[in-house]
Amino acid sequence: MNKSIRNRTLTGTALALAVSTVLTACGGDGASSSSSDAKVKDTASATPATTVTDPLVATFDGGLYILDGESLKLTRTIELPGFNRVNPAGDDDHVIVSTDSGFRVLDAADQTLTDIEYPGAKPGHVVRHAGKTVLFTDGTGQVNVFDPADLGTGEKPQGRTYTTAEAHHGVAIELANGELLTTIGDEEKRTGALVLDENGEEIARNEDCPGVHGEAAAEGEAIAVGCEDGVLLYKDGEFTKVDAPDDYGRIGNQAGSDASPVLLGDYKTDPDAELERPTRVSLIDTEKAKLRLVDLGTSYSFRSLARGPHGEALVLGTDGAIHVIDPVSGKVTEKIPAVGAWQEPLDWQQPRPTLFVRDHTAYVSEPSTRSLHAIDLESGEKVTSVTLPKGTNELSGVVAGH
């Protein structure tokens, strides 16, 4: 039985994309900064008895946990030294792992690290959009684009590649028409974005976006990248700058939804803070090119932003609740209890509660208690909770259907 049929049989329902392009939200300008050699040791049985249903993958200090997405049962532990990051690869089976040496592909359903690698220093953002997955390697400026369906062959997908003029902490996304949007910058500063057509020719550029960071896609394929003074939108072949209400109003992490023209972003106003703990988030209307701020009354972190199945904006606050925001009215419509109160650590690589949304379920980690919770977004009820051997850091899983 091939994998696509196998997964349809296992899941019984098609997975819906809760976040159009996810982002790999970064807390700093480096995506991976440990010097450990990535030697893998599988601590589970030599051969997994079965494949995992809708697998989740959580990182801990020294490895990866693979869990069943329905029961949250820990099915496998893989030792992988270093600071590792995880993101959906874009199909029903795989997760991209950012390691010290580059991007590696994990077959989460079969619970094994594959031989598919994209080597390079400082692997950064992983973006899924319009049936393509895009990897950006900060240390080299290399962009790799591939169809995630090709991962099922077991061979490294053949796809589009591009290298930016200067290596920098950047991001790229390919649109449905084959256009490739990528950031502009170098090791010292980042200034904006450019767009290449399907033949690699530059067709648009805008450098009015200081400190460009992160991306998201909204309904109608409006693409936004964050700036230190607002956001830069790209839609229908043109760039539009949306200014922040403050001289320094940094939006660095965003979450989009195919069900809403409004993007969710963070919002910081202190350029000199060692760590600003903001209480306001931004809502960017990509149709009207307008930005509004919503005060949550609690702080949050870069791993707190997500979108629900109906386009609702979700923010995991340090008060322990998931704040549900109507993106049209900008009002907080519900606060769903999730974890205990917490504080964001100064070091962005240190664990903190993390929100990952898939279909109608919010998965929330609670490192201080070594817990992981599954919450039904429709009812607000906590469906399942488990305690893991170690507290986790990043949390992700398989997500297809975009």
Side-chain angles (χ1 to χ4, degrees), residues 185-204:
D186 56 33
E187 290 185 354
E188 300 298 323
K189 63 179 181 179
R190 305 187 298 274
T191 58
L194 60 81
V195 179
L196 308 173
D197 66 16
E198 58 185 357
N199 298 315
E201 298 295 324
E202 184 176 321
I203 57 173

Side-chain angles (χ1 to χ4, degrees), residues 89-112:
D91 68 352
D92 289 323
D93 300 304
H94 297 88
V95 166
I96 303 294
V97 183
S98 303
T99 73
D100 294 339
S101 59
F103 295 104
R104 296 194 63 175
V105 176
L106 171 72
D107 188 330
D110 277 346
Q111 309 170 69
T112 56

Side-chain angles (χ1 to χ4, degrees), residues 156-185:
K156 186 174 182 178
Q158 299 299 307
R160 178 180 190 173
T161 61
Y162 171 75
T163 302
T164 59
E166 298 283 347
H168 65 281
H169 179 53
V171 67
I173 179 172
E174 184 171 284
L175 281 64
N177 63 3
E179 293 178 356
L180 181 70
L181 183 151
T182 183
T183 50
I184 302 168

Side-chain angles (χ1 to χ4, degrees), residues 190-385:
R190 305 187 298 274
T191 58
L194 60 81
V195 179
L196 308 173
D197 66 16
E198 58 185 357
N199 298 315
E201 298 295 324
E202 184 176 321
I203 57 173
R205 172 184 289 250
N206 186 299
E207 295 195 55
D208 184 22
C209 186
V212 59
H213 185 274
E215 56 63 49
E219 182 183 33
E221 204 173 38
I223 310 299
V225 292
C227 315
E228 291 177 348
D229 56 2
V231 295
L232 189 62
L233 298 180
Y234 180 75
K235 185 178 181 181
D236 298 329
E238 294 183 354
F239 280 108
T240 302
K241 180 65 177 293
V242 181
D243 293 324
D246 300 279
D247 290 339
Y248 182 89
R250 182 180 187 271
I251 298 172
N253 303 290
Q254 309 96 46
S257 168
D258 288 338
S260 173
V262 180
L263 297 169
L264 168 67
D266 57 4
Y267 193 74
K268 295 184 176 182
T269 57
D270 186 355
D272 301 318
E274 181 181 7
L275 173 67
E276 183 175 351
R277 295 185 171 97
T279 60
R280 294 182 295 175
V281 294
S282 55
L283 295 175
I284 304 102
D285 189 323
T286 63
E287 292 182 337
K288 299 177 181 178
K290 291 185 177 181
L291 182 155
R292 79 162 79 183
L293 300 176
V294 178
D295 196 331
L296 301 176
T298 185
S299 62
Y300 57 92
S301 90
F302 70 97
R303 294 199 188 119
S304 292
L305 308 181
R307 302 302 289 266
H310 309 295
E312 61 270 44
L314 306 173
V315 184
L316 176 64
T318 55
D319 60 355
I322 299 173
H323 296 247
V324 183
I325 306 170
D326 182 327
V328 177
S329 69
K331 296 187 180 299
V332 177
T333 60
E334 191 177 3
K335 296 180 183 179
I336 302 173
V339 296
W342 55 283
Q343 184 178 58
E344 181 179 8
L346 287 175
D347 183 349
W348 74 274
Q349 292 188 353
Q350 290 302 305
R352 81 285 311 281
T354 297
L355 174 65
F356 172 68
V357 174
R358 185 169 60 193
D359 199 6
H360 294 262
T361 303
Y363 299 95
V364 185
S365 63
E366 192 167 12
S368 63
T369 61
R370 297 182 286 115
S371 302
L372 180 63
H373 312 285
I375 298 168
D376 185 288
L377 287 170
E378 303 296 333
S379 66
E381 297 297 319
K382 191 172 289 186
V383 179
T384 310
S385 293

